[in-house]
Amino acid sequence: MDFKDFHKDFFSSRNGAYSRVTERENYDSQITLTDSEAGMVVEYFGNENIQVGNVGSNPDLASKEFLLYPNFDSISLNLVYPKPDKPELRLYLSSRSGFKPKGGDIWFIYINLDNRIVIGSIDEPAWRTLGQIDFEDLEYQEIIENTIPEASAIDIDPKGKIITQTLSGRTRFYRDPRLAIMRFDITSYTCEIDKSHETFIAQRTRKPYVEAHHFIPIKFQTSFDYPLDNLDNIVSLCPNCHRGIHHAVTDHKLELIETIYSIRPRLIKSYSLDDIAQYYNSLKIDD
């Protein structure tokens, strides 16, 4: 499967691909590259520089250098066209080199921003949690809580505009807490997944405690020419659903995403369910 915006952002890559390692691939210590995987590798190394035939007939040409995620040490793996009359491209796994993913693991390959080729593998539970902790989101919730008592009768543009801030040399996108409060008022401080979800009365606001969630995460703002900090993209969630959409097992996470997707008709016009699910690393994975 090709990298989506989520993976390119997380791995700081230009392009990439991933799939699940089968038990047979682990046993045979070899992976046959798919179309996108093969195309990336051929473009990087050059078709004329890839060995045709078995490894032993030209081991120097068969050996290719990769950077191994996450430490980016240089490793050598054999890459060949094993059959001269077929375009099948095969990558050989190697415990000695440090790349021998288990059956069921997710393996991935990508070109980083320095135009180096990187390879790696992660077990699927860990893969599903990549990029799902947003410390700016936690800080944003605290700002909302402190803004609520002061926010009544403030006239703001619900569509807003893209605003950046630079803190400690790092640029980030501003989130207007007043937009979140508008969403809370619209939903009467209830969870949009299910209004019956019970929460507690917040000490600061004396209202039911809910959290603001940007359905398309703000960190992907650079992929959009309009502000993601807008009223349609902000969702009111109970704490349990908010944690679930980031950290639940994939099936439950997808249920939450589908529910929000169904109540956001303006998003449906522009984005498929898969478009949204990829931001939560919840797409179904091919072997």
Side-chain angles (χ1 to χ4, degrees):
M1 298 177 66
D2 292 337
F3 270 18
K4 304 296 185 182
D5 287 345
F6 168 84
H7 307 100
K8 292 177 183 178
D9 175 80
F10 183 86
F11 290 108
S12 298
S13 66
R14 299 188 186 280
N15 55 33
Y18 65 99
S19 63
R20 185 182 290 104
V21 178
T22 67
E23 295 292 344
R24 184 57 187 260
E25 287 172 331
N26 169 265
Y27 180 80
D28 291 341
S29 292
Q30 60 186 35
I31 293 174
T32 299
L33 304 188
T34 63
D35 292 342
S36 56
E37 296 159 355
M40 186 187 344
V41 168
V42 168
E43 182 177 356
Y44 182 81
F45 291 111
N47 204 47
E48 69 281 4
N49 296 317
I50 299 176
Q51 164 68 3
V52 179
N54 63 59
V55 172
S57 62
N58 193 335
D60 290 337
L61 185 60
S63 180
K64 293 290 178 278
E65 181 182 303
F66 298 83
L67 298 183
L68 182 62
Y69 181 89
N71 296 324
F72 305 106
D73 297 324
S74 179
I75 65 168
S76 294
L77 297 171
N78 289 319
L79 177 75
V80 303
Y81 290 109
K83 301 175 182 178
D85 57 339
K86 292 185 178 181
E88 176 184 291
L89 189 58
R90 187 173 297 166
L91 177 71
Y92 289 90
L93 313 181
S94 170
S95 297
R96 185 171 58 181
S97 293
F99 184 69
K100 182 68 186 292
K102 299 186 296 295
D105 284 356
I106 307 304
W107 86 278
F108 51 90
I109 187 168
Y110 65 87
I111 306 299
N112 68 14
L113 298 183
D114 294 324
N115 287 317
R116 300 289 302 278
I117 193 164
V118 181
I119 198 167
S121 64
I122 302 175
D123 65 74
E124 186 163 355
W127 173 266
R128 293 300 189 182
T129 65
L130 295 178
Q132 296 305 304
I133 297 177
D134 188 343
F135 293 104
E136 289 184 16
D137 201 36
L138 299 176
E139 177 186 323
Y140 169 59
Q141 184 61 33
E142 183 176 346
I143 293 171
I144 293 170
E145 290 292 301
N146 291 328
T147 304
I148 288 176
E150 308 165 4
S152 59
I154 294 177
D155 184 23
I156 61 175
D157 178 2
K159 293 184 178 180
K161 60 182 179 179
I162 300 173
I163 302 174
T164 59
Q165 296 174 309
T166 302
L167 299 174
S168 301
R170 179 169 174 264
T171 300
R172 64 181 186 177
F173 296 100
Y174 176 68
R175 314 175 194 210
D176 191 334
R178 298 172 299 173
L179 285 170
I181 294 163
M182 289 179 67
R183 172 55 61 191
F184 294 165
D185 286 338
I186 291 170
T187 61
S188 300
Y189 288 78
T190 60
C191 177
E192 292 191 72
I193 295 291
D194 188 334
K195 292 183 178 181
S196 70
H197 286 175
E198 293 186 3
T199 183
F200 55 88
I201 301 301
Q203 179 68 38
R204 172 68 171 163
T205 65
R206 300 295 176 177
K207 296 178 182 291
Y209 182 83
V210 287
E211 297 178 345
H213 173 68
H214 288 85
F215 195 35
I216 300 176
I218 287 288
K219 65 181 178 181
F220 297 106
Q221 180 63 74
T222 54
S223 299
F224 298 83
D225 58 6
Y226 62 87
L228 292 177
D229 189 39
N230 68 72
L231 198 56
D232 284 332
N233 194 42
I234 296 173
V235 187
S236 172
L237 297 176
C238 69
N240 191 55
C241 286
H242 196 187
R243 298 301 179 273
I245 203 169
H246 289 297
H247 304 295
V249 296
T250 303
D251 287 346
H252 182 56
K253 187 186 290 190
L254 283 173
E255 288 177 5
L256 301 176
I257 293 169
E258 288 171 358
T259 298
I260 297 172
Y261 183 76
S262 69
I263 60 176
R264 287 292 187 272
R266 295 187 186 183
L267 287 175
I268 292 174
K269 292 180 180 179
S270 302
Y271 307 102
S272 70
L273 187 58
D274 279 355
D275 289 335
I276 303 295
Q278 61 106 355
Y279 292 117
Y280 300 89
N281 205 16
S282 293
L283 294 173
K284 296 185 184 301
I285 300 175
D286 299 330
D287 291 334

